[in-house]
Amino acid sequence: TVGIISALPVFGSQGRSPGPGQPPSPQWIFVTEMKKIYDVQEIKASVRLIDPKLDLLMVVFPKDLNPQLEYAIDQYVLSGGNALIFLDPLCVSYRSGGSQDFMRSSGNALNKVLTAWGVSMDSAKAIADFGQPTQVRTSTAMEENPLMISARGQAFNRKEVITAGLESMLFPVAGAITMVNKTDKKAPTHGYSFETLVESSKNAAMTDAFKAFLGVDAVKKDFVPAEKRFKIIVRVRGRFHTAFPEGPPKPKDPNTPPVDETKYPQLKDGEKPATLVIVSDADMLADNFYVQKRNFFGTAVSEMFNDNLNFLSNTS
């Protein structure tokens, strides 16, 4: 059983009326494929408790996550639940439908629990990777875009089963995941294990994510290679500690009852070890970034052109 939390329309319109003049949106292909194998459930933003019996929790672009759901994720992981989390400094697939549509970062969502798990990501910065750019057609020409990373070769950890057989993955505007308190023996995160699964080339540097709106020339202007690889996907294992040692967060709405701690006592420390896979890009799950759709003698044909979906299959 897989539970999915997302600010993106990964389940499609599902009978809901789309915006004025907009056609109904289909379910994303990765959800369709997962439903062939697993019992896939949508977890709404209003949920206060995540069933610890879930085999996998997917959190896909957790923009504007409320503290109660963040706490529920924390408690799920401490129960020994495994999670696959997709953050994003600039999610090109996100549409708010309002004047704030340019604000496409996952922002501070999950920052509190991420820190407790020993990782962080600057939600305002993206990796510009001139060693692994993607060729993109603009209105005037073809250009090599370093913010759209085509990971290949040495980018993959060949010692790990998840990534050993992958050849290429596409990350449209990815952040960089960093480890916090890894070597501090007094830190609560000491004892967690960290593995890098996918990383950038050394001809890369961090840049402001909003430059994705300005074009490749704006990225080139101030680019100085960092001469190091940035982490795009990491795996963290361990018995995690709660990010809410002071207790469950109080609801902002006074009419919303708090979590019943007599029925659901808070876990302060992990009951069992859990595994987390954290990805610094959510757009890699959008159909356009791994599937080419075409018409073949009247039949709709979908052809995979990279390993984005294979990575998801390997991790689930």
Side-chain angles (χ1 to χ4, degrees), residues 129 132 149-158 163 167 169 171 196-201 229-230 232-233:
D129 190 349
Q132 301 182 123
I149 301 173
S150 289
R152 54 190 180 269
Q154 292 184 333
F156 298 109
N157 185 335
R158 298 300 180 189
T163 48
E167 295 181 0
M169 290 180 70
F171 301 97
T196 302
L197 299 179
V198 183
E199 58 191 1
S200 73
S201 74
R229 298 180 185 272
F230 295 95
I232 298 173
I233 303 178

Tab-separated table of all heavy atoms in Angstrom, residues 129 132 149-158 163 167 169 171 196-201 229-230 232-233:
chain	number	residue	atom	x	y	z
A	129	ASP	N	24.280	22.875	-13.835
A	129	ASP	CA	25.253	21.818	-14.133
A	129	ASP	C	25.627	21.878	-15.608
A	129	ASP	O	24.930	21.325	-16.465
A	129	ASP	CB	24.656	20.458	-13.776
A	129	ASP	CG	25.689	19.339	-13.819
A	129	ASP	OD1	26.800	19.575	-14.329
A	129	ASP	OD2	25.383	18.220	-13.345
A	132	GLN	N	26.300	18.446	-17.346
A	132	GLN	CA	25.183	17.567	-17.705
A	132	GLN	C	23.952	18.391	-18.114
A	132	GLN	O	22.868	18.202	-17.573
A	132	GLN	CB	24.818	16.649	-16.532
A	132	GLN	CG	25.949	15.751	-16.062
A	132	GLN	CD	25.530	14.818	-14.939
A	132	GLN	OE1	25.656	13.602	-15.055
A	132	GLN	NE2	25.014	15.355	-13.834
A	149	ILE	N	18.920	19.263	-15.743
A	149	ILE	CA	20.062	18.353	-15.625
A	149	ILE	C	19.737	16.982	-16.211
A	149	ILE	O	18.775	16.328	-15.795
A	149	ILE	CB	20.476	18.205	-14.150
A	149	ILE	CG1	20.858	19.566	-13.568
A	149	ILE	CG2	21.626	17.214	-14.001
A	149	ILE	CD1	21.120	19.545	-12.078
A	150	SER	N	20.546	16.554	-17.163
A	150	SER	CA	20.459	15.195	-17.707
A	150	SER	C	21.546	14.357	-17.045
A	150	SER	O	22.695	14.310	-17.508
A	150	SER	CB	20.633	15.200	-19.235
A	150	SER	OG	19.501	15.756	-19.874
A	151	ALA	N	21.185	13.725	-15.940
A	151	ALA	CA	22.164	12.944	-15.181
A	151	ALA	C	22.509	11.662	-15.921
A	151	ALA	O	21.626	10.980	-16.447
A	151	ALA	CB	21.609	12.624	-13.799
A	152	ARG	N	23.782	11.321	-15.943
A	152	ARG	CA	24.227	10.113	-16.639
A	152	ARG	C	25.606	9.715	-16.113
A	152	ARG	O	26.237	10.468	-15.386
A	152	ARG	CB	24.268	10.351	-18.157
A	152	ARG	CG	25.097	11.554	-18.565
A	152	ARG	CD	24.907	11.907	-20.040
A	152	ARG	NE	25.723	13.071	-20.405
A	152	ARG	CZ	25.286	14.321	-20.339
A	152	ARG	NH1	24.072	14.587	-19.906
A	152	ARG	NH2	26.078	15.321	-20.701
A	153	GLY	N	26.036	8.509	-16.479
A	153	GLY	CA	27.393	8.068	-16.156
A	153	GLY	C	27.713	8.108	-14.675
A	153	GLY	O	27.068	7.459	-13.849
A	154	GLN	N	28.719	8.898	-14.325
A	154	GLN	CA	29.216	8.959	-12.954
A	154	GLN	C	28.236	9.631	-11.997
A	154	GLN	O	28.465	9.646	-10.780
A	154	GLN	CB	30.558	9.693	-12.911
A	154	GLN	CG	31.696	8.942	-13.588
A	154	GLN	CD	33.020	9.661	-13.424
A	154	GLN	OE1	33.069	10.878	-13.274
A	154	GLN	NE2	34.109	8.895	-13.454
A	155	ALA	N	27.159	10.175	-12.496
A	155	ALA	CA	26.162	10.799	-11.614
A	155	ALA	C	25.480	9.765	-10.724
A	155	ALA	O	24.994	10.092	-9.640
A	155	ALA	CB	25.105	11.534	-12.448
A	156	PHE	N	25.464	8.495	-11.170
A	156	PHE	CA	24.747	7.443	-10.457
A	156	PHE	C	25.676	6.645	-9.541
A	156	PHE	O	26.810	6.330	-9.900
A	156	PHE	CB	24.080	6.486	-11.443
A	156	PHE	CG	23.043	7.153	-12.308
A	156	PHE	CD1	23.283	7.364	-13.650
A	156	PHE	CD2	21.838	7.576	-11.783
A	156	PHE	CE1	22.336	7.980	-14.454
A	156	PHE	CE2	20.881	8.195	-12.567
A	156	PHE	CZ	21.134	8.399	-13.912
A	157	ASN	N	25.146	6.303	-8.377
A	157	ASN	CA	25.867	5.448	-7.445
A	157	ASN	C	25.734	4.003	-7.938
A	157	ASN	O	24.682	3.393	-7.826
A	157	ASN	CB	25.276	5.590	-6.042
A	157	ASN	CG	26.057	4.827	-4.990
A	157	ASN	OD1	26.744	3.853	-5.276
A	157	ASN	ND2	25.938	5.263	-3.748
A	158	ARG	N	26.809	3.460	-8.480
A	158	ARG	CA	26.777	2.128	-9.082
A	158	ARG	C	26.846	1.013	-8.042
A	158	ARG	O	26.672	-0.156	-8.373
A	158	ARG	CB	27.930	1.970	-10.079
A	158	ARG	CG	27.881	2.947	-11.250
A	158	ARG	CD	26.623	2.783	-12.059
A	158	ARG	NE	26.550	3.712	-13.195
A	158	ARG	CZ	25.474	3.884	-13.953
A	158	ARG	NH1	24.369	3.198	-13.672
A	158	ARG	NH2	25.478	4.730	-14.957
A	163	THR	N	20.166	2.499	-8.130
A	163	THR	CA	20.700	3.308	-9.226
A	163	THR	C	21.746	2.601	-10.083
A	163	THR	O	22.193	3.155	-11.088
A	163	THR	CB	21.328	4.602	-8.655
A	163	THR	OG1	22.189	4.259	-7.548
A	163	THR	CG2	20.246	5.549	-8.159
A	167	GLU	N	20.693	4.599	-16.641
A	167	GLU	CA	21.561	5.213	-17.643
A	167	GLU	C	21.395	6.721	-17.709
A	167	GLU	O	22.363	7.447	-17.925
A	167	GLU	CB	21.293	4.590	-19.017
A	167	GLU	CG	21.652	3.116	-19.090
A	167	GLU	CD	21.403	2.532	-20.467
A	167	GLU	OE1	20.951	3.286	-21.361
A	167	GLU	OE2	21.661	1.328	-20.657
A	169	MET	N	18.704	10.203	-16.263
A	169	MET	CA	17.530	10.770	-15.616
A	169	MET	C	17.494	12.263	-15.898
A	169	MET	O	18.541	12.895	-16.079
A	169	MET	CB	17.556	10.532	-14.098
A	169	MET	CG	17.348	9.085	-13.690
A	169	MET	SD	17.384	8.853	-11.879
A	169	MET	CE	15.849	9.667	-11.400
A	171	PHE	N	16.228	16.008	-14.567
A	171	PHE	CA	15.780	16.798	-13.418
A	171	PHE	C	15.616	18.258	-13.856
A	171	PHE	O	16.607	18.980	-13.966
A	171	PHE	CB	16.795	16.720	-12.275
A	171	PHE	CG	17.061	15.326	-11.785
A	171	PHE	CD1	18.159	14.604	-12.251
A	171	PHE	CD2	16.230	14.721	-10.856
A	171	PHE	CE1	18.421	13.322	-11.807
A	171	PHE	CE2	16.481	13.432	-10.404
A	171	PHE	CZ	17.574	12.726	-10.882
A	196	THR	N	24.645	8.893	-1.012
A	196	THR	CA	24.277	9.682	-2.182
A	196	THR	C	23.946	8.716	-3.311
A	196	THR	O	24.736	7.828	-3.625
A	196	THR	CB	25.435	10.603	-2.611
A	196	THR	OG1	25.781	11.456	-1.520
A	196	THR	CG2	25.034	11.444	-3.812
A	197	LEU	N	22.771	8.894	-3.926
A	197	LEU	CA	22.346	8.012	-5.017
A	197	LEU	C	22.552	8.645	-6.387
A	197	LEU	O	22.937	7.970	-7.337
A	197	LEU	CB	20.878	7.627	-4.829
A	197	LEU	CG	20.547	6.853	-3.544
A	197	LEU	CD1	19.052	6.565	-3.472
A	197	LEU	CD2	21.342	5.558	-3.458
A	198	VAL	N	22.283	9.951	-6.498
A	198	VAL	CA	22.482	10.669	-7.768
A	198	VAL	C	23.070	12.037	-7.441
A	198	VAL	O	22.647	12.681	-6.474
A	198	VAL	CB	21.156	10.844	-8.545
A	198	VAL	CG1	21.422	11.531	-9.893
A	198	VAL	CG2	20.466	9.507	-8.775
A	199	GLU	N	24.036	12.479	-8.253
A	199	GLU	CA	24.667	13.767	-8.004
A	199	GLU	C	24.992	14.479	-9.311
A	199	GLU	O	24.911	13.906	-10.395
A	199	GLU	CB	25.936	13.581	-7.166
A	199	GLU	CG	26.957	12.668	-7.798
A	199	GLU	CD	28.092	12.293	-6.842
A	199	GLU	OE1	28.072	12.730	-5.681
A	199	GLU	OE2	28.997	11.558	-7.277
A	200	SER	N	25.376	15.734	-9.182
A	200	SER	CA	25.734	16.536	-10.349
A	200	SER	C	27.151	16.199	-10.803
A	200	SER	O	27.864	15.420	-10.157
A	200	SER	CB	25.661	18.029	-9.994
A	200	SER	OG	26.764	18.379	-9.147
A	201	SER	N	27.581	16.824	-11.901
A	201	SER	CA	28.986	16.752	-12.296
A	201	SER	C	29.768	17.770	-11.470
A	201	SER	O	29.184	18.546	-10.701
A	201	SER	CB	29.133	17.071	-13.786
A	201	SER	OG	28.945	18.477	-14.007
A	229	ARG	N	30.740	17.863	-6.584
A	229	ARG	CA	29.441	17.321	-6.990
A	229	ARG	C	28.387	17.657	-5.930
A	229	ARG	O	28.649	17.561	-4.737
A	229	ARG	CB	29.538	15.802	-7.165
A	229	ARG	CG	30.524	15.376	-8.261
A	229	ARG	CD	30.581	13.864	-8.403
A	229	ARG	NE	31.593	13.462	-9.353
A	229	ARG	CZ	31.398	13.344	-10.671
A	229	ARG	NH1	30.199	13.607	-11.160
A	229	ARG	NH2	32.360	12.963	-11.471
A	230	PHE	N	27.206	18.055	-6.406
A	230	PHE	CA	26.103	18.367	-5.505
A	230	PHE	C	25.121	17.187	-5.476
A	230	PHE	O	24.879	16.539	-6.498
A	230	PHE	CB	25.380	19.635	-5.963
A	230	PHE	CG	26.232	20.867	-5.901
A	230	PHE	CD1	26.912	21.319	-7.025
A	230	PHE	CD2	26.370	21.571	-4.713
A	230	PHE	CE1	27.711	22.446	-6.971
A	230	PHE	CE2	27.165	22.710	-4.646
A	230	PHE	CZ	27.842	23.152	-5.777
A	232	ILE	N	21.764	15.276	-5.540
A	232	ILE	CA	20.408	15.433	-6.074
A	232	ILE	C	19.442	14.461	-5.404
A	232	ILE	O	18.297	14.796	-5.105
A	232	ILE	CB	20.407	15.231	-7.609
A	232	ILE	CG1	21.294	16.293	-8.278
A	232	ILE	CG2	18.983	15.306	-8.168
A	232	ILE	CD1	21.495	16.068	-9.768
A	233	ILE	N	19.904	13.237	-5.155
A	233	ILE	CA	19.090	12.234	-4.450
A	233	ILE	C	19.947	11.591	-3.372
A	233	ILE	O	21.085	11.178	-3.630
A	233	ILE	CB	18.565	11.142	-5.405
A	233	ILE	CG1	17.752	11.740	-6.554
A	233	ILE	CG2	17.693	10.141	-4.633
A	233	ILE	CD1	17.244	10.713	-7.560
